Amino acid sequence: MDWMMLANKVIDGYDCTREEAREILNTDDADLLGLINGAYVLRRHYYGNKMKLNRLINAKSGRCPENCAYCSQSIYADTDVENYQLVDQETIVEGARQAKADHIGTYCIVMSGRKASNREVRAVAAAVKQIKQEMSMKICACLGLIDDKQADVLKEAGVDRYNHNLNTSANYYDRVATTHHYQDRVDTLEAIKQSGISPCSGGICGMGETDEDIIDMAFAVKALNSDSIPVNFLRPIPGTPFADKNELTPNRCLKILSLFRFVNPKKEIRIAGGREYNLRSMQCLGLYIANSIFIDGYLTTDGQGGKAKI
Ligand code: SF4
């Protein structure tokens, strides 16, 4: 495959097919730099060389009743993550001040749990209102399943973006979690879109899924018109059901990122959790494909700080 030619066709409006998506995932390692170069043509065309930085606050941690098999915060996992209820408003706002001082573009307020209560939504909304009054900063909320009314409360408070990952394909979903369903996630994203908040949705790779599952997911977030697409690479956590899954290589991760870029060329592609663990010394190549990363760690695992040299 001539990846540069395909990239230029995509810029001219062509939509990649599933067959081309399969070719991306099956690219010979000897042609990997050619694939990355094609993905970079797209990244540079739509985003230049700028990198968007995101930082998380784990605003409510642990004791989640859901059984997502990758997650250390599930009550079904045998882990020693911190357990605490929603932190107070000042803690959330102070995190935003620090993020602003560190030139972070988007501050992500994340809660563990199946679904935020109305009280929790109001509390997060109050914190967001204060942040928006004090500074100019993009806010993403990630509070679990959400309904139309809650989405409207967050929109009115100034939430710019809401993250709710599809996580994997519809077909593979019940191998990852059974306490909720793929359609629940789609419904939440539709409620978000209805409210006018920008949807953010991606997934996690390396959980035992097939190439077809990854391709399904890339096309599903395209169909949802997700503005931002986090691509997580499983970092297996001891005590979780997926503790022994270790199937990713740096080259595989780069092909997956390229797939998401070719299928969703204009969207923010973010290398999310597991970046450091899975891409290792090849992280810098990921930056030619993705235009967004998290820095300063993830919800329950550490990561590189903003001043780290990759
Ligand atoms: S719903 Fe969220 S916090 Fe709960 S187990 Fe799943 S990923 Fe973890």
Side-chain angles (χ1 to χ4, degrees):
M1 174 72 78
D2 184 333
W3 301 115
M4 293 286 285
M5 190 182 290
L6 181 62
N8 284 317
K9 260 172 77 177
V10 168
I11 288 170
D12 287 341
Y14 176 76
D15 285 324
C16 278
T17 63
R18 284 189 74 97
E19 189 49 46
E20 286 157 342
R22 280 184 201 105
E23 279 201 53
I24 290 172
L25 289 182
N26 289 308
T27 301
D28 193 290
D29 285 350
D31 190 26
L32 182 57
L33 284 179
L35 173 65
I36 292 170
N37 198 23
Y40 176 58
V41 166
L42 297 171
R43 183 242 204 268
R44 191 182 54 202
H45 181 80
Y46 293 109
Y47 291 97
N49 280 331
K50 282 198 178 145
M51 179 60 63
K52 188 177 161 223
L53 302 179
N54 306 264
R55 184 185 284 164
L56 296 162
I57 176 173
N58 194 359
K60 177 185 173 187
S61 179
R63 290 204 192 97
C64 178
E66 302 301 288
N67 66 352
C68 307
Y70 55 84
C71 182
S72 58
Q73 301 192 71
S74 165
I75 56 170
Y76 299 92
D78 183 14
T79 58
D80 57 1
V81 297
E82 280 188 273
N83 293 308
Y84 53 83
Q85 291 298 316
L86 182 61
V87 297
D88 62 23
Q89 183 166 327
E90 180 54 23
T91 302
I92 296 175
V93 174
E94 181 54 27
R97 291 185 193 117
Q98 286 175 17
K100 181 75 181 172
D102 291 339
H103 308 290
I104 304 293
T106 301
Y107 180 56
C108 307
I109 303 168
V110 187
M111 283 176 39
S112 70
R114 175 185 174 86
K115 184 180 194 318
S117 66
N118 288 336
R119 185 189 61 77
E120 288 169 330
V121 168
R122 284 196 301 273
V124 170
V128 172
K129 272 187 185 163
Q130 187 180 342
I131 292 167
K132 290 285 180 174
Q133 278 163 6
E134 283 191 25
M135 68 196 91
S136 148
M137 161 155 281
K138 279 220 157 77
I139 301 293
C140 179
C142 177
L143 315 179
L145 301 172
I146 203 166
D147 60 37
D148 302 12
K149 288 199 178 105
Q150 291 175 320
D152 289 344
V153 170
L154 294 174
K155 173 67 181 171
E156 197 270 323
V159 168
D160 300 283
R161 185 160 277 176
Y162 195 93
N163 166 262
H164 200 59
N165 290 330
L166 291 180
N167 280 340
T168 189
S169 70
N171 279 338
Y172 197 66
Y173 204 87
D174 65 1
R175 304 283 296 280
V176 176
T178 54
T179 48
H180 60 271
H181 304 288
Y182 183 87
Q183 189 58 44
D184 295 325
R185 292 191 167 255
V186 173
D187 291 347
T188 285
L189 288 160
E190 293 298 348
I192 290 304
K193 284 162 64 177
Q194 282 296 324
S195 75
I197 296 176
S198 164
C200 168
S201 187
I204 308 172
C205 298
M207 300 193 295
E209 71 284 337
T210 63
D211 282 7
E212 294 304 307
D213 291 315
I214 295 174
I215 293 166
D216 279 358
M217 185 167 53
F219 280 92
V221 292
K222 178 187 174 96
L224 280 164
N225 203 15
S226 181
D227 292 323
S228 174
I229 304 174
V231 182
N232 295 270
F233 299 112
L234 182 72
R235 177 171 172 172
I237 297 175
T240 64
F242 284 172
D244 295 330
K245 289 203 185 296
N246 220 333
E247 54 196 53
L248 295 170
T249 63
N251 284 2
R252 172 79 170 162
C253 295
L254 292 167
K255 290 171 195 174
I256 291 169
L257 286 170
S258 298
L259 162 67
F260 275 86
R261 173 59 73 202
F262 269 97
V263 173
N264 298 277
K266 299 180 187 171
K267 301 301 187 180
E268 176 186 336
I269 305 289
R270 184 178 324 138
I271 317 177
R275 167 169 61 92
E276 299 87 341
Y277 179 86
N278 287 289
L279 278 161
R280 300 176 232 160
S281 60
M282 290 167 76
Q283 283 186 68
C284 53
L285 289 177
L287 306 186
Y288 284 94
I289 309 167
N291 62 301
S292 177
I293 54 173
F294 282 114
I295 60 168
D296 297 316
Y298 307 96
L299 294 173
T300 63
T301 54
D302 58 3
Q304 281 180 327
K307 294 194 173 79
K309 293 189 172 118
I310 292 180

